[in-house]
Amino acid sequence: MRILTYFFALCLLVSPAPARAECGGDFNAFVSGLKTEAVAKGHDPASVDRFFAGVRKDPAVLKADRSQGVFQRPFLDFSRRLISQNRIDNGQRNARKYDAVFDRMEAEYGVPRGVLLAFWAFETDFGAVQGDFNTLNALVTLSHDCRRPALFRPQIFAALELFEAGDFDPVRTTGAWAGEIGMVQMLPRDIIENGVDGDGDGKVMLKTSAPDALLSGAKMLQSLGWQAGQPWLQEIRLPQGFALETTGTGKTRTVGDWKTMGVTARSGTLAADDLRASVLLPQGAGGPAFLAYPNFNVYFEWNQSFVYVLTAAYFATRLEGADRYDAGQPANGLDGAQMKQLQTRLQALGHDVGKVDGILGAKTRAAVQAEQMRLGLPADAWPTPALLNAL
């Protein structure tokens, strides 16, 4: 992270911050405001001009941002689409190829190889598909857009820091539509704070060096709170008559308590009794069941989608040797349109479901569970047509 000089820090104490538009308005005026802010932050005016010289708004970025319907799919469907035999085989092949890198990663950062292999697979198919969006255009477009400007605006100035260090080309640097770069898709600020020269060539090259990308990703997970030597997810079995209202991401008990309630591991043994965990039923009582340990929460710092996070965490266990999940026989769920109807009705009842987007996220699940309890239905947080009709 770049540190302000002592002199400039003193200037900030006595000088008012320049007025700037947070988002929206004329795009050229918006970019002009970014340049003014960059200079005020201490960047060289000539460098700022070169950095922003060719920036433009990219409509394709906004289209991609608005087109994330894949996250409406339920866990079983989503996970089957993302976890192919080819990805499993490639994961095992890369685990062997970079065995020494993974050994170093596990020793220095405490992150198991399966965790990074899963991210590497999902984000870029092991580096094969890294995205061809101009990174600076993507970041400025998403900052100008008023949906999530606070997330993307700081990344512009981080990219400027990388540019000044010779590690970012505003014309040629490409990546994902949301501004992530490299094999495991990291934003500029994450690269500055967690970039690791894994191959010893004196540079952090996340697009072309697997050792750099893997070790940088592991360091970032460690910085986000990953605890070495602890599990993250485990498939479990629940007894008949289990108290379904105790399940959900925000409801934790000790492993010892879960054991007392009849929870058992599908294979192997559960973690230490004093470790806290949550029982997750992604498709209700009829589908697979998992015990999510504290490290599972770190996944949400990487991606906010529940179905993506659970799939990535589960795939990591598969790459570490776990069996394929028991899919069970979950009750029929809702399609995207029905889910939006449900979210609208839940909002009308006073629940905070976030955006009405047809995605069964954590807030919608909590609201569903609350209504199931109120109506005397099995409180497994899995919305069904019967629940929609009851509301």
Side-chain angles (χ1 to χ4, degrees):
M1 180 178 295
R2 187 176 63 85
I3 300 176
L4 296 172
T5 65
Y6 177 70
F7 171 77
F8 184 60
L10 285 178
C11 290
L12 287 179
L13 293 177
V14 297
S15 303
R20 59 181 172 85
E22 294 294 337
C23 65
D26 178 78
F27 185 75
N28 290 331
F30 179 78
V31 172
S32 179
L34 290 174
K35 294 169 69 174
T36 299
E37 184 178 353
V39 173
K41 288 177 178 290
H43 295 280
D44 176 66
S47 294
V48 171
D49 285 340
R50 291 195 301 273
F51 180 71
F52 286 105
V55 70
R56 65 177 182 82
K57 187 174 182 178
D58 189 348
V61 168
L62 296 178
K63 181 179 179 181
D65 184 50
R66 306 298 194 264
S67 304
Q68 301 186 62
V70 65
F71 295 115
Q72 293 181 355
R73 297 185 181 278
F75 169 71
L76 292 177
D77 186 5
F78 187 88
S79 61
R80 286 164 179 164
R81 286 173 176 267
L82 264 65
I83 302 173
S84 64
Q85 187 59 49
N86 183 60
R87 276 184 166 164
I88 292 174
D89 292 343
N90 282 339
Q92 294 170 341
R93 188 177 302 113
N94 279 296
R96 293 190 296 270
K97 181 177 180 180
Y98 295 103
D99 184 59
V101 175
F102 285 116
D103 283 346
R104 176 183 168 186
M105 181 183 78
E106 291 169 344
E108 293 186 13
Y109 304 111
V111 180
R113 61 191 61 200
V115 173
L116 258 297
L117 282 166
F119 278 129
W120 194 12
F122 287 177
E123 296 292 339
T124 64
D125 261 330
F126 303 103
V129 186
Q130 298 187 33
D132 57 4
F133 289 86
N134 177 279
T135 300
L136 180 58
N137 288 343
L139 292 173
V140 175
T141 297
L142 291 167
S143 299
H144 178 257
D145 182 49
C146 287
R147 193 166 86 86
R148 294 178 294 169
L151 172 62
F152 295 104
R153 190 182 186 102
Q155 301 300 332
I156 297 172
F157 302 110
L160 175 56
E161 291 181 45
L162 290 172
F163 167 69
E164 291 172 329
D167 297 326
F168 185 96
D169 186 329
V171 176
R172 295 182 176 83
T173 299
T174 58
W177 63 264
E180 301 100 338
I181 302 167
M183 295 188 186
V184 295
Q185 301 283 270
M186 293 173 64
L187 288 165
R189 176 54 60 192
D190 296 324
I191 296 173
I192 291 172
E193 295 178 350
N194 299 294
V196 177
D197 174 18
D199 54 19
D201 66 354
K203 292 182 176 293
V204 177
M205 306 294 289
L206 302 187
K207 291 175 70 71
T208 57
S209 171
D212 290 7
L214 294 169
L215 293 173
S216 297
K219 183 180 178 184
M220 186 171 79
L221 287 174
Q222 183 193 58
S223 74
L224 293 173
W226 189 274
Q227 296 298 307
Q230 290 191 11
W232 59 96
L233 190 75
Q234 184 176 16
E235 190 176 3
I236 56 174
R237 294 198 182 280
L238 304 180
Q240 290 290 329
F242 183 79
L244 296 173
E245 66 275 8
T246 64
T247 66
T249 54
K251 300 179 179 181
T252 66
R253 295 171 184 249
T254 66
V255 172
D257 289 339
W258 290 123
K259 287 180 181 178
T260 299
M261 295 172 66
V263 173
T264 58
R266 186 181 173 214
S267 63
T269 59
L270 297 179
D273 283 357
D274 60 348
L275 196 62
R276 299 194 70 83
S278 301
V279 171
L280 304 182
L281 305 176
Q283 288 190 227
F290 299 95
L291 200 60
Y293 297 102
N295 274 340
F296 180 77
N297 295 324
V298 178
Y299 277 82
F300 285 105
E301 300 295 330
W302 189 294
N303 190 296
Q304 290 294 303
S305 166
F306 175 84
V307 69
Y308 177 94
V309 161
L310 183 59
T311 300
Y314 161 69
F315 189 34
T317 67
R318 287 287 305 279
L319 291 168
E320 290 278 326
D323 294 330
R324 184 191 301 269
Y325 54 56
D326 179 0
Q329 293 182 317
N332 291 333
L334 306 178
D335 61 27
Q338 291 173 319
M339 190 68 72
K340 289 181 180 179
Q341 293 178 22
L342 175 70
Q343 289 174 322
T344 300
R345 294 179 188 181
L346 291 170
Q347 277 189 337
L349 290 167
H351 295 286
D352 176 14
V353 298
K355 182 181 178 182
V356 175
D357 54 9
I359 297 174
L360 182 59
K363 291 183 178 180
T364 300
R365 286 179 179 273
V368 165
Q369 190 173 53
E371 287 302 311
Q372 288 172 327
M373 294 171 64
R374 182 179 69 83
L375 295 169
L377 300 172
D380 59 4
W382 175 241
T384 63
L387 175 63
L388 181 60
N389 292 334
L391 294 177

